[in-house]
Amino acid sequence: MTERLLIRAIKGHGQTQIVTLNGKKIRKMPSTLELLPDLKNLCLQNNLISKVCPEISTLTQLKILNLGNNLLEEVPEEMKYLTSLKKLHLFGNKICRFASGACDGLQNLILLNLNRNQLTWLPQEVSKLKSLTHLSLNCNKLVSIPTELCLLKNLRELQLNYNELSCIPEEIKFLKKLQKFLLVRNYIEVLPEGICHLKNLRILDIAGNTIQIFPPGFQNLKLKEFYCEENPLFVKRPAIALQQEDIWSLQEITSRYVMNQLAKKHPFLMCAIEQYPEVRNLISQGKKCPICGKYFLSIWLECVRFIPPPKNWKISRNLQLVPVQVLICSYKCLNRRDPNLFGIAHM
Ligand SMILES: [Zn+2]
């Protein structure tokens, strides 16, 4: 029956580059597709397809494939033969995994829409989708995203609304071209500092998470739109000056000494550090105190500064001040801080 539908669809268009068979209750894809090697656009939305036919592998000229609202349970392996594919719509299926190798031939894919599926994880192989600019994974059950996703350096839009994410990898900073990042309704408590390195980010939506404070430098993002409704923005209690002693571990004391000497270009240490990659690695994670300008490694005091959002940000109506995290080196600096910087009491 589907064969007849296919023939009718081709005759209807009078050409063999586009086939549209939406909402025809199709269960089995027409195998005669293999007679259409020039096919560019295949639309089989709103059917009952649970498996793609093997003949699809002959469609090497196909640019757009729409299998939205069907019954697929995986991103099919056959996708790897569709080497010209630019847009792949698989929304509204029951997809819970990628078949192994599915991403192998999709080096030209620019758009992947997997909204409304059952994915709990993504394979590392997503990093093979080198040309991808738009990735939509709204309404899945993702609990994490692999750091390999952050290797998709052409990605401009990443939609992860309505998932179960509790964190975003620091490597997000590698998505240099990212312009639009949507994270509505997840369980994110902390945004990584890496997000502050996304110079092209213009739209950020984090509504409906559990974020209290933003990473240092957040206010320098060049956002146009920023939405953060339904987050418990700053419910921690600000503390006033606490006269306490600083207690540092030996590692912290040594690291601070080394980092601050290196900052002064101490010749002996500059030379010695070349021999110790582990030490170099460790101190590359050092942070600079905004009060005294000295470096520290893993012991700090968390403070908050409430900053009016930049004027050119279009923002949530509820947001008058953005709580931005500031990390400082010691109680000595805490007692020297300006009156707009508040220490945070951790109860
Ligand atoms: Zn300091």
Side-chain angles (χ1 to χ4, degrees):
M1 180 195 102
T2 51
E3 313 299 329
R4 217 175 309 141
L5 284 171
L6 178 61
I7 291 160
R8 207 181 305 152
I10 296 163
K11 280 192 179 152
H13 273 96
Q15 49 117 323
T16 57
Q17 298 201 341
I18 304 174
V19 166
T20 306
L21 289 168
N22 293 341
K24 305 279 187 203
K25 299 189 176 125
I26 296 171
R27 284 175 191 281
K28 197 172 164 293
M29 285 174 67
S31 53
T32 35
L33 280 174
E34 66 183 334
L35 305 174
L36 301 169
D38 299 330
L39 196 60
K40 298 269 193 296
N41 185 342
L42 175 59
C43 194
L44 292 164
Q45 210 181 301
N46 304 325
N47 283 293
L48 302 162
I49 297 165
S50 57
K51 232 177 163 345
V52 298
C53 61
E55 292 79 8
I56 200 167
S57 58
T58 58
L59 302 180
T60 52
Q61 301 301 309
L62 199 63
K63 296 219 180 317
I64 304 174
L65 174 60
N66 189 336
L67 280 164
N69 296 329
N70 276 284
L71 301 170
L72 297 172
E73 287 176 11
E74 59 177 18
V75 177
E77 191 195 341
E78 289 81 356
M79 297 299 104
K80 70 180 176 194
Y81 302 110
L82 308 180
T83 48
S84 301
L85 203 61
K86 290 196 176 298
K87 297 182 182 180
L88 177 57
H89 298 277
L90 294 170
F91 55 85
N93 279 273
K94 297 177 168 189
I95 295 171
C96 56
R97 61 182 174 266
F98 281 62
S100 114
C103 298
D104 285 0
L106 293 173
Q107 63 270 39
N108 288 307
L109 197 68
I110 55 171
L111 178 146
L112 176 57
N113 180 342
L114 279 162
N115 294 340
R116 290 189 288 112
N117 278 290
Q118 311 283 329
L119 288 163
T120 53
W121 60 284
L122 297 171
Q124 297 173 0
E125 287 77 53
V126 291
S127 64
K128 292 183 179 165
L129 307 174
K130 293 275 177 240
S131 305
L132 210 59
T133 61
H134 290 69
L135 177 58
S136 248
L137 289 154
N138 300 329
C139 305
N140 277 276
K141 294 174 175 168
L142 295 172
V143 291
S144 67
I145 54 175
T147 52
E148 287 78 6
L149 183 83
C150 304
L151 300 174
L152 298 175
K153 58 181 180 11
N154 289 306
L155 208 58
R156 280 187 271 144
E157 187 168 326
L158 179 55
Q159 300 197 19
L160 293 164
N161 298 333
Y162 294 89
N163 276 284
E164 293 169 19
L165 300 170
S166 55
C167 66
I168 300 296
E170 179 61 32
E171 288 79 359
I172 195 81
K173 65 182 171 204
F174 298 128
L175 296 178
K176 296 263 181 249
K177 293 188 182 167
L178 198 64
Q179 296 174 356
K180 185 172 179 179
F181 191 18
L182 309 183
L183 286 165
V184 177
R185 296 253 168 235
N186 279 279
Y187 305 115
I188 296 165
E189 272 181 46
V190 178
L191 288 173
E193 261 190 81
I195 205 165
C196 305
H197 298 281
L198 299 176
K199 294 205 164 59
N200 287 301
L201 194 64
R202 297 293 176 266
I203 303 175
L204 177 64
D205 194 341
I206 53 152
N209 282 280
T210 54
I211 294 167
Q212 295 203 27
I213 192 165
F214 296 97
F218 185 77
Q219 69 276 19
N220 300 328
L221 279 170
K222 300 273 180 284
L223 296 178
K224 283 191 176 142
E225 296 176 33
F226 172 52
Y227 305 103
C228 60
E229 293 92 337
E230 293 183 58
N231 278 281
L233 288 187
F234 213 71
V235 293
K236 287 180 197 162
R237 231 184 52 189
I240 2 171
L242 303 158
Q243 296 290 341
Q244 274 178 312
E245 287 297 314
D246 291 301
I247 301 165
W248 300 329
S249 62
L250 187 58
Q251 189 201 44
E252 181 69 18
I253 296 169
T254 320
S255 314
R256 287 189 183 205
Y257 176 77
V258 171
M259 286 188 288
N260 289 314
Q261 289 301 317
L262 284 174
K264 290 186 208 154
K265 305 212 182 300
H266 188 289
F268 173 71
L269 278 172
M270 296 283 274
C271 213
I273 198 80
E274 291 303 317
Q275 311 299 319
Y276 297 98
E278 326 82 87
V279 178
R280 260 201 332 261
N281 214 347
L282 191 66
I283 63 175
S284 71
Q285 293 155 30
K287 301 174 196 302
K288 196 176 183 180
C289 173
I291 296 182
C292 66
K294 291 195 174 147
Y295 289 88
F296 56 94
L297 185 62
S298 55
I299 296 178
W300 58 72
L301 296 171
E302 189 187 11
C303 295
V304 59
R305 194 185 286 284
F306 296 93
I307 297 175
K311 290 219 163 47
N312 35 4
W313 289 14
K314 186 181 157 200
I315 50 163
S316 315
R317 236 175 310 162
N318 64 339
L319 184 77
Q320 273 138 24
L321 293 167
V322 187
V324 177
Q325 190 189 48
V326 180
L327 303 177
I328 61 174
C329 77
S330 60
Y331 283 103
K332 195 172 140 204
C333 281
L334 183 70
N335 291 326
R336 280 173 53 200
R337 74 193 189 279
D338 68 73
N340 298 318
L341 190 64
F342 299 91
I344 300 173
H346 287 274
M347 311 306 271

PDB file of all heavy atoms in Angstrom, residues 256 288-296 327-334 336, ligand 1:
ATOM      1  N   ARG A 256      50.098  29.062  46.938  1.00  0.00           N
ATOM      2  CA  ARG A 256      49.993  30.525  46.913  1.00  0.00           C
ATOM      3  C   ARG A 256      51.371  31.155  46.740  1.00  0.00           C
ATOM      4  O   ARG A 256      51.552  32.079  45.954  1.00  0.00           O
ATOM      5  CB  ARG A 256      49.346  31.047  48.204  1.00  0.00           C
ATOM      6  CG  ARG A 256      47.863  30.758  48.254  1.00  0.00           C
ATOM      7  CD  ARG A 256      47.190  31.454  49.426  1.00  0.00           C
ATOM      8  NE  ARG A 256      45.778  31.082  49.477  1.00  0.00           N
ATOM      9  CZ  ARG A 256      44.830  31.824  50.027  1.00  0.00           C
ATOM     10  NH1 ARG A 256      45.132  32.971  50.582  1.00  0.00           N
ATOM     11  NH2 ARG A 256      43.577  31.412  50.030  1.00  0.00           N
ATOM     12  N   LYS A 288      42.493  34.743  41.083  1.00  0.00           N
ATOM     13  CA  LYS A 288      43.116  35.974  41.548  1.00  0.00           C
ATOM     14  C   LYS A 288      42.139  36.725  42.448  1.00  0.00           C
ATOM     15  O   LYS A 288      40.977  36.893  42.096  1.00  0.00           O
ATOM     16  CB  LYS A 288      43.456  36.828  40.326  1.00  0.00           C
ATOM     17  CG  LYS A 288      44.433  37.929  40.596  1.00  0.00           C
ATOM     18  CD  LYS A 288      44.771  38.654  39.293  1.00  0.00           C
ATOM     19  CE  LYS A 288      45.817  39.728  39.561  1.00  0.00           C
ATOM     20  NZ  LYS A 288      46.173  40.437  38.336  1.00  0.00           N
ATOM     21  N   CYS A 289      42.615  37.137  43.596  1.00  0.00           N
ATOM     22  CA  CYS A 289      41.758  37.866  44.539  1.00  0.00           C
ATOM     23  C   CYS A 289      41.514  39.286  44.009  1.00  0.00           C
ATOM     24  O   CYS A 289      42.469  40.003  43.707  1.00  0.00           O
ATOM     25  CB  CYS A 289      42.443  37.916  45.903  1.00  0.00           C
ATOM     26  SG  CYS A 289      41.584  38.955  47.081  1.00  0.00           S
ATOM     27  N   PRO A 290      40.245  39.686  43.872  1.00  0.00           N
ATOM     28  CA  PRO A 290      39.974  41.027  43.322  1.00  0.00           C
ATOM     29  C   PRO A 290      40.328  42.152  44.295  1.00  0.00           C
ATOM     30  O   PRO A 290      40.382  43.304  43.908  1.00  0.00           O
ATOM     31  CB  PRO A 290      38.469  40.999  43.046  1.00  0.00           C
ATOM     32  CG  PRO A 290      37.930  39.945  43.940  1.00  0.00           C
ATOM     33  CD  PRO A 290      39.023  38.944  44.169  1.00  0.00           C
ATOM     34  N   ILE A 291      40.608  41.805  45.558  1.00  0.00           N
ATOM     35  CA  ILE A 291      40.920  42.864  46.529  1.00  0.00           C
ATOM     36  C   ILE A 291      42.416  43.129  46.610  1.00  0.00           C
ATOM     37  O   ILE A 291      42.864  44.247  46.461  1.00  0.00           O
ATOM     38  CB  ILE A 291      40.312  42.525  47.908  1.00  0.00           C
ATOM     39  CG1 ILE A 291      38.769  42.513  47.743  1.00  0.00           C
ATOM     40  CG2 ILE A 291      40.746  43.541  48.976  1.00  0.00           C
ATOM     41  CD1 ILE A 291      37.986  42.250  48.987  1.00  0.00           C
ATOM     42  N   CYS A 292      43.221  42.052  46.806  1.00  0.00           N
ATOM     43  CA  CYS A 292      44.662  42.277  46.936  1.00  0.00           C
ATOM     44  C   CYS A 292      45.430  41.931  45.659  1.00  0.00           C
ATOM     45  O   CYS A 292      46.610  42.225  45.549  1.00  0.00           O
ATOM     46  CB  CYS A 292      45.211  41.474  48.109  1.00  0.00           C
ATOM     47  SG  CYS A 292      45.096  39.704  47.834  1.00  0.00           S
ATOM     48  N   GLY A 293      44.755  41.279  44.718  1.00  0.00           N
ATOM     49  CA  GLY A 293      45.416  40.949  43.454  1.00  0.00           C
ATOM     50  C   GLY A 293      46.329  39.741  43.532  1.00  0.00           C
ATOM     51  O   GLY A 293      47.028  39.415  42.579  1.00  0.00           O
ATOM     52  N   LYS A 294      46.341  39.050  44.688  1.00  0.00           N
ATOM     53  CA  LYS A 294      47.201  37.872  44.801  1.00  0.00           C
ATOM     54  C   LYS A 294      46.440  36.599  44.443  1.00  0.00           C
ATOM     55  O   LYS A 294      45.202  36.587  44.440  1.00  0.00           O
ATOM     56  CB  LYS A 294      47.760  37.782  46.217  1.00  0.00           C
ATOM     57  CG  LYS A 294      48.756  38.898  46.488  1.00  0.00           C
ATOM     58  CD  LYS A 294      49.563  38.621  47.726  1.00  0.00           C
ATOM     59  CE  LYS A 294      50.636  39.690  47.870  1.00  0.00           C
ATOM     60  NZ  LYS A 294      50.900  39.979  49.275  1.00  0.00           N
ATOM     61  N   TYR A 295      47.211  35.542  44.173  1.00  0.00           N
ATOM     62  CA  TYR A 295      46.601  34.281  43.744  1.00  0.00           C
ATOM     63  C   TYR A 295      46.310  33.329  44.894  1.00  0.00           C
ATOM     64  O   TYR A 295      47.018  33.334  45.898  1.00  0.00           O
ATOM     65  CB  TYR A 295      47.515  33.585  42.735  1.00  0.00           C
ATOM     66  CG  TYR A 295      47.546  34.303  41.413  1.00  0.00           C
ATOM     67  CD1 TYR A 295      48.458  35.321  41.179  1.00  0.00           C
ATOM     68  CD2 TYR A 295      46.633  33.979  40.410  1.00  0.00           C
ATOM     69  CE1 TYR A 295      48.478  36.017  39.967  1.00  0.00           C
ATOM     70  CE2 TYR A 295      46.651  34.657  39.213  1.00  0.00           C
ATOM     71  CZ  TYR A 295      47.562  35.676  38.986  1.00  0.00           C
ATOM     72  OH  TYR A 295      47.557  36.339  37.804  1.00  0.00           O
ATOM     73  N   PHE A 296      45.274  32.514  44.713  1.00  0.00           N
ATOM     74  CA  PHE A 296      44.968  31.442  45.672  1.00  0.00           C
ATOM     75  C   PHE A 296      44.479  30.242  44.889  1.00  0.00           C
ATOM     76  O   PHE A 296      44.127  30.349  43.719  1.00  0.00           O
ATOM     77  CB  PHE A 296      43.951  31.906  46.708  1.00  0.00           C
ATOM     78  CG  PHE A 296      42.663  32.432  46.122  1.00  0.00           C
ATOM     79  CD1 PHE A 296      41.569  31.603  45.955  1.00  0.00           C
ATOM     80  CD2 PHE A 296      42.561  33.762  45.733  1.00  0.00           C
ATOM     81  CE1 PHE A 296      40.383  32.088  45.415  1.00  0.00           C
ATOM     82  CE2 PHE A 296      41.376  34.262  45.194  1.00  0.00           C
ATOM     83  CZ  PHE A 296      40.286  33.422  45.032  1.00  0.00           C
ATOM     84  N   LEU A 327      35.069  35.607  44.602  1.00  0.00           N
ATOM     85  CA  LEU A 327      35.877  34.785  45.511  1.00  0.00           C
ATOM     86  C   LEU A 327      37.090  35.594  45.951  1.00  0.00           C
ATOM     87  O   LEU A 327      37.791  36.164  45.115  1.00  0.00           O
ATOM     88  CB  LEU A 327      36.323  33.502  44.796  1.00  0.00           C
ATOM     89  CG  LEU A 327      35.192  32.631  44.239  1.00  0.00           C
ATOM     90  CD1 LEU A 327      35.762  31.427  43.499  1.00  0.00           C
ATOM     91  CD2 LEU A 327      34.236  32.179  45.340  1.00  0.00           C
ATOM     92  N   ILE A 328      37.323  35.649  47.249  1.00  0.00           N
ATOM     93  CA  ILE A 328      38.484  36.394  47.737  1.00  0.00           C
ATOM     94  C   ILE A 328      39.386  35.506  48.587  1.00  0.00           C
ATOM     95  O   ILE A 328      38.987  34.447  49.047  1.00  0.00           O
ATOM     96  CB  ILE A 328      38.082  37.677  48.492  1.00  0.00           C
ATOM     97  CG1 ILE A 328      37.246  37.347  49.714  1.00  0.00           C
ATOM     98  CG2 ILE A 328      37.301  38.625  47.578  1.00  0.00           C
ATOM     99  CD1 ILE A 328      36.945  38.559  50.556  1.00  0.00           C
ATOM    100  N   CYS A 329      40.633  35.996  48.819  1.00  0.00           N
ATOM    101  CA  CYS A 329      41.686  35.094  49.305  1.00  0.00           C
ATOM    102  C   CYS A 329      41.681  34.869  50.813  1.00  0.00           C
ATOM    103  O   CYS A 329      42.170  33.861  51.280  1.00  0.00           O
ATOM    104  CB  CYS A 329      43.049  35.601  48.847  1.00  0.00           C
ATOM    105  SG  CYS A 329      43.641  37.003  49.795  1.00  0.00           S
ATOM    106  N   SER A 330      41.155  35.811  51.606  1.00  0.00           N
ATOM    107  CA  SER A 330      41.386  35.698  53.053  1.00  0.00           C
ATOM    108  C   SER A 330      40.423  36.587  53.852  1.00  0.00           C
ATOM    109  O   SER A 330      39.788  37.480  53.289  1.00  0.00           O
ATOM    110  CB  SER A 330      42.809  36.138  53.373  1.00  0.00           C
ATOM    111  OG  SER A 330      42.965  37.483  52.955  1.00  0.00           O
ATOM    112  N   TYR A 331      40.386  36.331  55.163  1.00  0.00           N
ATOM    113  CA  TYR A 331      39.599  37.203  56.050  1.00  0.00           C
ATOM    114  C   TYR A 331      40.187  38.608  56.065  1.00  0.00           C
ATOM    115  O   TYR A 331      39.468  39.593  56.210  1.00  0.00           O
ATOM    116  CB  TYR A 331      39.539  36.621  57.461  1.00  0.00           C
ATOM    117  CG  TYR A 331      38.565  35.467  57.559  1.00  0.00           C
ATOM    118  CD1 TYR A 331      39.010  34.149  57.606  1.00  0.00           C
ATOM    119  CD2 TYR A 331      37.194  35.702  57.558  1.00  0.00           C
ATOM    120  CE1 TYR A 331      38.123  33.094  57.660  1.00  0.00           C
ATOM    121  CE2 TYR A 331      36.288  34.656  57.618  1.00  0.00           C
ATOM    122  CZ  TYR A 331      36.758  33.350  57.676  1.00  0.00           C
ATOM    123  OH  TYR A 331      35.871  32.324  57.727  1.00  0.00           O
ATOM    124  N   LYS A 332      41.492  38.675  55.910  1.00  0.00           N
ATOM    125  CA  LYS A 332      42.158  39.976  55.870  1.00  0.00           C
ATOM    126  C   LYS A 332      41.537  40.832  54.749  1.00  0.00           C
ATOM    127  O   LYS A 332      41.180  41.991  54.947  1.00  0.00           O
ATOM    128  CB  LYS A 332      43.649  39.752  55.624  1.00  0.00           C
ATOM    129  CG  LYS A 332      44.497  40.954  55.923  1.00  0.00           C
ATOM    130  CD  LYS A 332      45.984  40.584  55.829  1.00  0.00           C
ATOM    131  CE  LYS A 332      46.734  41.729  55.157  1.00  0.00           C
ATOM    132  NZ  LYS A 332      47.962  41.269  54.531  1.00  0.00           N
ATOM    133  N   CYS A 333      41.372  40.195  53.557  1.00  0.00           N
ATOM    134  CA  CYS A 333      40.768  40.933  52.436  1.00  0.00           C
ATOM    135  C   CYS A 333      39.274  41.154  52.666  1.00  0.00           C
ATOM    136  O   CYS A 333      38.726  42.170  52.264  1.00  0.00           O
ATOM    137  CB  CYS A 333      41.012  40.201  51.123  1.00  0.00           C
ATOM    138  SG  CYS A 333      42.675  40.488  50.494  1.00  0.00           S
ATOM    139  N   LEU A 334      38.626  40.186  53.299  1.00  0.00           N
ATOM    140  CA  LEU A 334      37.188  40.342  53.566  1.00  0.00           C
ATOM    141  C   LEU A 334      36.954  41.600  54.417  1.00  0.00           C
ATOM    142  O   LEU A 334      36.014  42.346  54.194  1.00  0.00           O
ATOM    143  CB  LEU A 334      36.643  39.105  54.295  1.00  0.00           C
ATOM    144  CG  LEU A 334      35.130  39.125  54.563  1.00  0.00           C
ATOM    145  CD1 LEU A 334      34.341  38.960  53.270  1.00  0.00           C
ATOM    146  CD2 LEU A 334      34.726  38.042  55.542  1.00  0.00           C
ATOM    147  N   ARG A 336      38.704  44.201  54.384  1.00  0.00           N
ATOM    148  CA  ARG A 336      39.086  45.404  53.624  1.00  0.00           C
ATOM    149  C   ARG A 336      38.119  45.691  52.476  1.00  0.00           C
ATOM    150  O   ARG A 336      38.326  46.591  51.696  1.00  0.00           O
ATOM    151  CB  ARG A 336      40.474  45.192  53.013  1.00  0.00           C
ATOM    152  CG  ARG A 336      41.622  45.406  53.955  1.00  0.00           C
ATOM    153  CD  ARG A 336      42.927  44.998  53.254  1.00  0.00           C
ATOM    154  NE  ARG A 336      43.072  45.673  51.949  1.00  0.00           N
ATOM    155  CZ  ARG A 336      43.867  45.236  50.978  1.00  0.00           C
ATOM    156  NH1 ARG A 336      44.581  44.141  51.121  1.00  0.00           N
ATOM    157  NH2 ARG A 336      43.947  45.905  49.845  1.00  0.00           N
TER     158      ARG A 336
HETATM  159 ZN    ZN B   1      43.084  39.052  48.789  1.00  0.00          ZN
END
